[in-house]
Amino acid sequence: ELLKVFLSLLFTIFGFLVTTVSLALTHERMPDYDPLPDIVLDNTPYQKWGLDASEYVLIVLTLLAIAVIVFHKHRFVVIRRVFLMLGLLYFYRAICFYVTVLPKADPAYYCSPQLNHTITFVELMQRCVKIISGGGLSINGQQVYCGDFIYSGHTMSIFLAFFIIREYSPRKFWYLHGVVLALAILGIIFLLIGRGHYTIDVIVAYFITSNTWWTYHTMAHTQVLHEHGEHNYLTNHWWFMGLYYFEANVPKRPLPREYNLPIPDSLATKVSELVNRRGSQRDGYQEIV
């Protein structure tokens, strides 16, 4: 199981690296003219703080999603699913914004000057290091390379975190799901009024992220969809063999919503015994009184 987690993590890291290289190259091709017409951006007031606010929402949702994964009993299954889907989304995004480069949605956003020559390998690596050091966020001042619009990485991350929380937290936590959904929508609103992306970037990001999530989980939860045959066209997905490998030996489909502390079983047993012993002592004290 740990090997699968490690391999899925490598896949995510590779996808992220491809995205950074793609952005470093795309920056040189970004056109320098006015923003494109956008029905939402053209009819809403610009708020400079919007992009930063959307990233704070993204961070909060990401931390909540991490907490859900950490305390899930089948955390290793969940995390490798997330890593595999995240890697896929990074690859899709790297291709999309490289093939079609849009002008800045926010003319006031600072972008590093473009080179007057063909980018060298050393310059490319320097750009990649700078992008990685900032984690793809603007709030730390490291996101100075532009052109990664279609599709929105902010929207992708926000909704991926929402899907994780909704799918793997207890169903009775409906109020948490409602709050998280409201935060996700608020984060998208902040992103748009801050001119972090065009509306089309957000729409495409939502459809790709949601369809990747639902397709993967439908296949993961349905044993017959793991089998090749004329009944299963979903095996034509280029990542099907990855799903087939990572979903082998999963204990139950779908995963039960069970939770425990992320500590070794031996230590968890000792903690449980200690709690039970203290509970028994307290009950005995009450009987004497």
Side-chain angles (χ1 to χ4, degrees):
E1 296 301 313
L2 290 178
L3 175 61
K4 291 181 180 180
V5 172
F6 177 70
L7 292 176
S8 63
L9 175 60
L10 287 181
F11 182 70
T12 294
I13 293 173
F14 184 63
F16 181 68
L17 291 177
V18 170
T19 302
T20 60
V21 172
S22 180
L23 175 56
L25 295 173
T26 299
H27 176 79
E28 288 302 305
R29 300 170 49 238
M30 189 185 69
D32 185 18
Y33 49 77
D34 293 338
L36 299 176
D38 188 292
I39 192 66
V40 174
L41 305 191
D42 294 344
N43 292 281
T44 54
Y46 168 63
Q47 302 295 337
K48 186 178 180 180
W49 50 264
L51 180 57
D52 287 352
S54 72
E55 292 185 347
Y56 285 119
V57 171
L58 189 160
I59 292 171
V60 170
L61 292 177
T62 300
L63 291 175
L64 286 173
I66 291 173
V68 170
I69 295 171
V70 167
F71 291 104
H72 199 285
K73 182 178 180 180
H74 304 287
R75 59 186 64 87
F76 292 131
V77 176
V78 177
I79 193 62
R80 70 186 186 226
R81 287 178 175 178
V82 172
F83 280 153
L84 182 58
M85 286 183 285
L86 190 57
L88 291 172
L89 293 171
Y90 275 136
F91 278 117
Y92 294 155
R93 185 166 182 262
I95 294 171
C96 287
F97 68 67
Y98 181 79
V99 296
T100 302
V101 188
L102 306 183
K104 291 190 293 185
D106 176 12
Y109 188 86
Y110 173 77
C111 294
S112 181
Q114 294 175 327
L115 302 173
N116 293 322
H117 58 268
T118 302
I119 188 170
T120 66
F121 178 78
V122 173
E123 290 169 331
L124 178 63
M125 291 300 101
Q126 289 174 339
R127 287 185 174 184
C128 290
V129 170
K130 190 174 184 63
I131 294 169
I132 293 171
S133 67
L137 299 177
S138 302
I139 54 177
N140 50 37
Q142 299 298 312
Q143 187 67 7
V144 296
Y145 301 112
C146 305
D148 57 333
F149 290 106
I150 296 179
Y151 50 90
S152 167
H154 289 73
T155 304
M156 176 192 85
S157 301
I158 285 173
F159 276 104
L160 184 62
F162 165 69
F163 290 140
I164 292 170
I165 297 167
R166 189 186 67 171
E167 176 67 26
Y168 294 110
S169 63
R171 284 298 188 201
K172 62 182 180 181
F173 285 7
W174 56 269
Y175 48 87
L176 173 64
H177 303 158
V179 169
V180 169
L181 178 59
L183 278 175
I185 295 173
L186 194 62
I188 301 305
I189 293 174
F190 288 156
L191 181 65
L192 291 174
I193 65 175
R195 304 297 188 265
H197 277 280
Y198 292 100
T199 307
I200 187 64
D201 307 340
V202 172
I203 293 173
V204 172
Y206 171 76
F207 276 108
I208 292 179
T209 304
S210 60
N211 277 277
T212 299
W213 179 274
W214 292 327
T215 300
Y216 186 95
H217 280 78
T218 297
M219 296 173 69
H221 292 175
T222 309
Q223 182 61 43
V224 70
L225 295 181
H226 294 203
E227 302 169 1
H228 287 275
E230 294 184 358
H231 70 286
N232 187 10
Y233 286 94
L234 294 177
T235 57
N236 291 305
H237 281 294
W238 68 272
W239 43 264
F240 172 77
M241 292 308 298
L243 177 143
Y244 183 82
Y245 171 72
F246 286 116
E247 292 298 321
N249 302 320
V250 171
K252 292 183 180 179
R253 308 179 191 280
L255 283 178
R257 292 179 175 85
E258 300 171 344
Y259 309 91
N260 59 19
L261 294 175
I263 57 179
D265 292 340
S266 58
L267 182 58
T269 301
K270 291 181 180 180
V271 172
S272 178
E273 291 175 351
L274 180 61
V275 171
N276 292 334
R277 188 181 303 116
R278 288 185 176 181
S280 299
Q281 291 174 350
R282 189 179 300 108
D283 293 340
Y285 173 77
Q286 291 174 350
E287 290 177 4
I288 293 174
V289 174

